[in-house]
Amino acid sequence: MTEPLFGDAPALLRRIILARLLAWFKVPIPVSTQRPRDLPPEFIRILLIGGNRKNKITVSRTFAIEAWAGNSARAVELVEATYSIIHSLENSVVEGVHIGAVGDFALPADLPDPDTAHSRFTFTTEIDMSYIDTI
């Protein structure tokens, strides 16, 4: 067996969150892996900040998730929805990726951004991912 390629985990997570936030709020919420140059009124940012390889077919990815909004109440609403979405993925298969354990490093918390007037809440999570085509 050749060494597996573990895929673009932030892009996968972005697609999932984007679709599920739309279903949740009924309006599109921008989801990105970068802070937009022109800040929209609200958005979610996904940062892949590390992880480790658990075995030949499974990696554990660590993500920081940030929710930005015009006020703290809305930022909390967005971060809590995103937190719930990510935890709902545990033990599922999405786009050929088995998502195993989902764990918390840091629960949602206020993390003010000194460079903008936006409110920002963040959490850090670890997601085990096994790529089905490597099994």
Side-chain angles (χ1 to χ4, degrees):
M1 178 172 144
T2 61
E3 286 297 309
L5 299 176
F6 287 105
D8 188 347
L12 172 66
L13 199 54
R14 180 189 171 276
R15 289 189 299 274
I16 294 166
I17 293 170
L18 191 62
R20 295 196 183 183
L21 284 176
L22 179 59
W24 190 307
F25 291 109
K26 308 299 184 217
V27 296
I29 308 293
V31 179
S32 178
T33 57
Q34 299 179 25
R35 189 172 110 178
R37 184 178 312 242
D38 297 319
L39 295 180
E42 54 190 31
F43 65 97
I44 304 294
R45 180 166 72 164
I46 301 165
L47 299 167
L48 177 61
I49 59 172
N52 61 73
R53 187 170 179 172
K54 298 190 98 162
N55 57 48
K56 189 139 180 103
I57 63 168
T58 304
V59 291
S60 186
R61 304 283 191 182
T62 305
F63 294 94
I65 309 295
E66 299 175 335
W68 306 61
N71 61 64
S72 61
R74 181 62 172 173
V76 167
E77 185 177 28
L78 292 175
V79 82
E80 290 291 344
T82 306
Y83 178 84
S84 293
I85 289 165
I86 288 174
H87 276 272
S88 75
L89 298 173
E90 192 166 46
N91 296 318
S92 66
V93 176
V94 181
E95 295 183 26
V97 177
H98 177 263
I99 298 175
V102 176
D104 298 321
F105 279 144
L107 293 171
D110 190 2
L111 184 64
D113 177 9
D115 298 328
T116 72
H118 284 67
S119 291
R120 177 178 63 177
F121 278 72
T122 185
F123 67 94
T124 307
T125 190
E126 184 175 70
I127 304 171
D128 289 352
M129 297 178 169
S130 300
Y131 293 79
I132 301 302
D133 62 351
T134 64
I135 297 174

